[in-house]
Amino acid sequence: MLVLSFTQFSENLNDFLLNSGISQNQISRDLGLSQSQISDWKNGKGVRLSKNAKMVSEYIETYRNSNNKQLPRSLQNTIHNFCRGSKEKYEKLERIIQALNEIT
């Protein structure tokens, strides 16, 4: 992915965090960066793209091209709220997801 400006990078990072299910904390752990640096980028604080920002862009691109994707955080929260500790509900939902995976 070619990042043309810091603004575009920040917008891309925000979109990724919102839709991927990956947290700022996970990115910082995976790449060995400080969470505060990722938070600054997310909030548009910065003026230039460092090698660390380019590393995050590559991380995002690799994730988007992989088959090992997580559910968006909003969907994870919905599932968690639906199940509320019920093993029976979780198992039913798991069967639904498996069936959907088979038809897609």
Side-chain angles (χ1 to χ4, degrees):
M1 164 178 40
L2 179 62
V3 178
L4 301 175
S5 72
F6 180 81
T7 301
Q8 289 172 322
F9 167 74
S10 181
E11 289 171 357
N12 191 40
L13 177 60
N14 275 297
D15 178 67
F16 178 73
L17 291 169
L18 181 65
N19 294 304
S20 70
I22 302 288
S23 68
Q24 294 177 51
N25 196 17
Q26 185 173 343
I27 294 172
S28 70
R29 283 192 316 266
D30 290 349
L31 299 178
L33 303 173
S34 73
Q35 188 173 351
S36 64
Q37 184 175 38
I38 293 168
S39 179
D40 285 348
W41 290 332
K42 178 183 176 285
N43 294 315
K45 296 179 184 174
V47 290
R48 66 178 182 81
L49 295 172
S50 65
K51 71 176 186 172
N52 288 346
K54 291 176 185 172
M55 191 166 51
V56 170
S57 290
E58 290 171 4
Y59 178 94
I60 292 170
E61 188 67 20
T62 299
Y63 176 86
R64 286 181 173 157
N65 291 330
S66 78
N67 291 325
N68 188 21
K69 297 181 180 175
Q70 292 186 358
L71 295 173
R73 190 173 307 137
S74 60
L75 187 52
Q76 289 177 13
N77 291 338
T78 300
I79 291 169
H80 174 76
N81 290 335
F82 172 77
C83 292
R84 292 265 186 218
S86 168
K87 186 175 181 179
E88 181 182 336
K89 283 184 178 180
Y90 178 81
E91 289 171 350
K92 286 180 182 178
L93 187 57
E94 191 173 48
R95 286 193 300 272
I96 291 169
I97 292 170
Q98 287 172 350
L100 288 172
N101 282 335
E102 290 174 8
I103 62 173
T104 57

